[in-house]
């Protein structure tokens, strides 16, 4: 039986760090981590696609039908060929990534709880609630440092699509979450076990996760 875990929150909330911390706390092979970003629609293949005009922060930008199908396969014990999305070309790579079933599948993304049919597949739903100013600062620094963008372009996108998209799709999904992790504001070093435990502590107590932890007794 595969445990499906969703971790959502706004852009820059710390959901990826939390997802990585959770997987790191489990024994090797107990969990796989998937990013919802790989299930963006193949935007580059759309007629007349213009990346400057396309709203990547709308839930319609995600191929949730394909993601739901893939998660159903993993839950049934079947491997999947996951798409690999390029943030450079805004399209899917020709190659895919084979993902084998595992006792736990952790999926992180801003919209993973925004489509009811997709949200219903998850056994544990987590919302990371981080203040808007912290989320914006993180996104501003990340996009400048890792994506070579100007501060002006990051701010313009944030005001045009990121903030409205969060209010329309991500924040409302909080009500369906089983666990709300509040105020993830500190950068966490994943090699620091104490920091990992503090960040993931609310989840590590779940009786479905405890048997999968690295320090759990061998059955």
């Amino acid at each position: 039986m595969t445990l499906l875990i969703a971790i959502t929150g706004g852009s820059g909330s710390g959901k990826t760090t939390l997802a990585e911390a959770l997987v790191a706390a489990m024994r090797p092979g107990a969990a796989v981590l998937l990013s919802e970003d790989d299930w963006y629609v193949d935007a580059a293949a759309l007629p007349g696609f213009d990346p400057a005009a396309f709203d990547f922060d709308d839930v319609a930008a995600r191929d949730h039908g394909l993601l739901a199908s893939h998660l159903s396969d993993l839950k049934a014990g079947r491997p999947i060929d996951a798409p690999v999305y390029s943030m450079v070309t805004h399209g899917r790579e020709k190659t895919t990534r084979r993902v084998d079933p595992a006792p736990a599948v952790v999926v992180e993304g801003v919209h993973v709880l925004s489509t009811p049919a997709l949200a219903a597949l998850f056994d544990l739903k987590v919302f990371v609630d981080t203040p808007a100013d912290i989320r914006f600062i993180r996104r501003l620094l990340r996009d400048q440092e890792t994506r070579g963008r100007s501060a002006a372009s990051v701010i313009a996108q944030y005001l045009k699509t990121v903030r409205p998209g969060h209010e329309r799709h991500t924040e409302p999904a909080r009500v369906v979450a089983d666990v709300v992790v509040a105020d993830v504001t500190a950068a966490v070093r994943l090699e620091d076990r104490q920091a990992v435990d503090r960040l993931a502590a609310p989840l590590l107590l779940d009786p479905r996760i405890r048997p999968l932890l690295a320090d759990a007794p061998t059955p």
Side-chain angles (χ1 to χ4, degrees):
M1 181 66 177
T2 295
L3 178 69
L4 295 185
I5 304 171
I7 298 182
T8 194
S11 176
S13 62
K15 61 188 177 298
T16 303
T17 299
L18 177 59
E20 292 174 347
L22 177 59
V23 171
M26 297 186 192
R27 65 176 184 268
V32 294
L33 176 59
L34 303 179
S35 171
E36 184 194 26
D37 284 352
D38 278 325
W39 281 266
Y40 266 120
V41 298
D42 192 3
L46 298 175
F49 169 69
D50 178 2
F54 190 81
D55 188 355
F56 292 97
D57 295 288
D58 193 290
V59 71
R62 311 288 185 169
D63 192 346
H64 277 176
L66 180 61
L67 178 55
S69 176
H70 281 166
L71 292 181
S72 295
D73 284 341
L74 288 172
K75 195 161 191 175
R78 296 186 293 269
I80 64 169
D81 292 316
V84 178
Y85 186 82
S86 169
M87 293 291 181
V88 177
T89 66
H90 306 293
R92 289 178 184 163
E93 302 283 3
K94 293 182 180 180
T95 58
T96 57
R97 178 169 68 99
R98 173 56 62 102
V99 179
D100 292 318
V105 175
V106 181
V107 187
E108 63 84 15
V110 296
H111 294 135
V112 291
L113 297 181
S114 300
T115 299
L118 180 62
L121 294 175
F122 291 101
D123 304 296
L124 177 61
K125 300 180 282 289
V126 182
F127 187 93
V128 183
D129 184 22
T130 301
D133 58 341
I134 298 296
R135 289 189 280 107
F136 170 72
I137 291 169
R138 282 180 168 177
R139 183 182 177 99
L140 179 65
L141 295 175
R142 179 201 69 191
D143 285 6
Q144 290 181 99
E145 293 172 359
T146 66
R147 299 181 182 178
R149 298 182 57 190
S150 68
S153 71
V154 177
I155 293 169
Q157 183 185 26
Y158 181 84
L159 293 175
K160 182 179 180 181
T161 64
V162 177
R163 185 173 183 271
H166 177 85
E167 293 176 345
R168 286 197 312 269
H169 304 296
T170 305
E171 185 64 32
R174 175 185 175 130
V175 300
V176 304
D178 302 305
V179 178
V180 175
V181 178
D183 198 8
V184 181
T185 58
V188 172
R189 293 170 58 85
L190 291 179
E191 61 270 26
D192 181 345
R193 183 55 190 268
Q194 289 186 339
V196 168
D197 286 348
R198 286 196 300 271
L199 183 65
L203 307 183
L204 302 183
L205 297 175
D206 189 289
R208 295 165 295 181
I209 292 177
R210 289 197 62 79
L212 304 177
L213 299 181
D215 56 3
T218 303

